[in-house]
Amino acid sequence: MASFLCSTRFFVVLFLISAVPLAVLISLETATPSTHVYHYHSNGWARECAKWDDLNRRFLVSFFENGIGQIAVPDHHSPADILDEVPLVRDADLAGNASLGIFIDRPRNRLMVAIADVFGNRYSAVAAYDMTTWNRLFLTQLNAPADEKSLADDVAVDAEGNAYITDAWESKIWKVGVNGEFISTITCSLFTHKGWHRNLVGLNGIVFHPDGYLLVVHMITGHLFKITTGNENEVKPIKLVGGPCSLGDGIELFSPTKLVVAGNPTRLVESTDDWETGTVVGKFRGSKVHRLTTAATVKDGKVYLNHMFGMGFPKKKHAIVEAVFSS
């Protein structure tokens, strides 16, 4: 679920991008993609997350400047066609905050959105929206005004409708009930590491596994964790062969035994023992890496990757790219 998570990271990435020679950027932009790409026009430069809504045949995307949009995909879409983004949500009371990780809660027909003050780190929240009317069902602030800095990054939902939101600043997980009531905070010493640079961006992408536990990635270190929730939360590091998944951002289950960790490169991790251990079995680095891969989703049995930055003016052309993994 995924994220451009703090002002330090924002400016570091902008610096790195600005340092890339213009000729290289032009070459990357004009290269023929090796996999299928959905291009769409938008009014915004940055789109943090994209999730495929199979029922309505559309991608839902989160706006870094606050809001949610959709990209409808026709049945007979040609890769040469450029689709259009249509805004669905723009909350005036959340102006100045970014919409980051999103999750489609299909049983309850709602979209869950992690919301954060990316540059000041003084506001974190989770919101739920009805996916038919797009009315806001609830907005729950996760940090109190006097709390330490925080950054709500990604969100997952369990079978009962409880939401789990990662705090990428303090490496903790908030739990919120099905109706938006705050329940608890999950903390663990395993979530933090020695050295400030290893905690610059902490817990990031999160998913709820159908067997009843959470999987989460620590962005800087690339460590994966399995978290069993309940009266006693149990946190276990997942031993990775071929890992770690350093700079892992949003994550998505491709199947109960395969996890996609979006990043540069994006990794496919497989487990045969209920996520006690895992093995990196594939990697993908497409031609759009300069746009920054931030999230993954599954459409029609294929993995697609969201890229943060759009290119062009006045309309910005964004890319959602199919990932084909190689060992």
Side-chain angles (χ1 to χ4, degrees):
M1 355 217 123
S3 308
F4 222 47
L5 303 171
C6 61
S7 56
T8 301
R9 180 184 171 202
F10 182 83
F11 289 115
V12 166
V13 173
L14 284 184
F15 173 79
L16 292 175
I17 291 174
S18 66
V20 177
L22 180 61
V24 175
L25 289 177
I26 293 174
S27 176
L28 290 170
E29 278 296 302
T30 57
T32 301
S34 60
T35 62
H36 182 258
V37 179
Y38 289 102
H39 284 111
Y40 66 94
H41 277 144
S42 167
N43 290 323
W45 289 108
R47 295 294 176 257
E48 168 67 17
C49 186
K51 295 296 180 182
W52 175 245
D53 176 10
D54 184 65
L55 187 62
N56 297 292
R57 306 300 296 174
R58 62 187 177 182
F59 289 102
L60 296 175
V61 295
S62 60
F63 298 174
F64 202 72
E65 69 273 19
N66 169 36
I68 299 295
Q70 72 171 14
I71 300 98
V73 179
D75 290 338
H76 302 291
H77 171 261
S78 168
D81 296 336
I82 300 178
L83 304 171
D84 289 308
E85 175 189 275
V86 177
L88 298 172
V89 171
R90 185 65 65 87
D91 290 328
D93 59 341
L94 293 173
N97 296 293
S99 300
L100 298 177
I102 61 177
F103 178 82
I104 296 173
D105 183 8
R106 181 67 66 202
R108 284 157 282 273
N109 189 44
R110 62 185 188 174
L111 185 74
M112 307 298 296
V113 184
I115 298 165
D117 168 16
V118 172
F119 297 106
N121 306 123
R122 294 300 184 186
Y123 183 81
S124 288
V126 63
Y129 297 91
D130 183 284
M131 287 177 56
T132 301
T133 65
W134 291 104
N135 292 330
R136 193 167 73 194
L137 304 175
F138 66 75
L139 173 68
T140 302
Q141 184 170 347
L142 300 169
N143 67 314
D147 278 357
E148 71 275 3
K149 290 186 176 183
S150 65
L151 203 153
D153 175 27
D154 200 9
V155 56
V157 175
D158 67 18
E160 287 72 43
N162 300 304
Y164 301 85
I165 307 96
T166 52
D167 177 359
W169 187 275
E170 288 291 332
S171 283
K172 60 180 182 284
I173 299 170
W174 294 289
K175 181 178 181 180
V176 172
V178 64
N179 296 312
E181 66 279 15
F182 183 85
I183 295 177
S184 63
T185 302
I186 301 172
T187 60
C188 181
S189 60
L190 294 173
F191 294 157
T192 57
H193 302 81
K194 292 182 178 180
W196 66 269
H197 59 287
R198 303 185 75 197
N199 298 291
L200 182 60
V201 184
L203 297 187
N204 201 320
I206 188 170
V207 295
F208 184 79
H209 193 279
D211 288 341
Y213 49 82
L214 298 166
L215 300 174
V216 64
V217 64
H218 186 284
M219 183 176 187
I220 295 298
T221 65
H223 294 161
L224 289 173
F225 299 96
K226 176 182 178 180
I227 305 169
T228 303
T229 61
N231 294 330
E232 296 291 335
N233 299 314
E234 182 183 19
V235 178
K236 292 183 179 180
I238 298 172
K239 183 179 179 181
L240 278 181
V241 177
C245 296
S246 301
L247 300 183
D249 206 321
I251 63 177
E252 181 85 352
L253 281 171
F254 184 67
S255 73
T257 61
K258 292 183 178 179
L259 180 74
V260 180
V261 182
N264 293 288
T266 293
R267 300 166 175 92
L268 182 64
V269 183
E270 185 174 20
S271 176
T272 59
D273 56 5
D274 204 28
W275 292 100
E276 297 297 313
T277 65
T279 301
V280 176
V281 296
K283 296 181 181 181
F284 174 78
R285 188 192 297 271
S287 62
K288 304 295 184 183
V289 293
H290 57 295
R291 290 174 175 249
L292 195 65
T293 307
T294 56
T297 190
V298 177
K299 176 186 182 294
D300 301 331
K302 299 178 181 179
V303 174
Y304 282 85
L305 303 176
N306 179 75
H307 291 74
M308 169 70 84
F309 293 113
M311 300 288 181
F313 186 82
K315 287 187 175 181
K316 294 78 179 174
K317 187 168 74 170
H318 287 263
I320 301 174
V321 180
E322 180 189 358
V324 176
F325 296 96
S326 58
S327 56

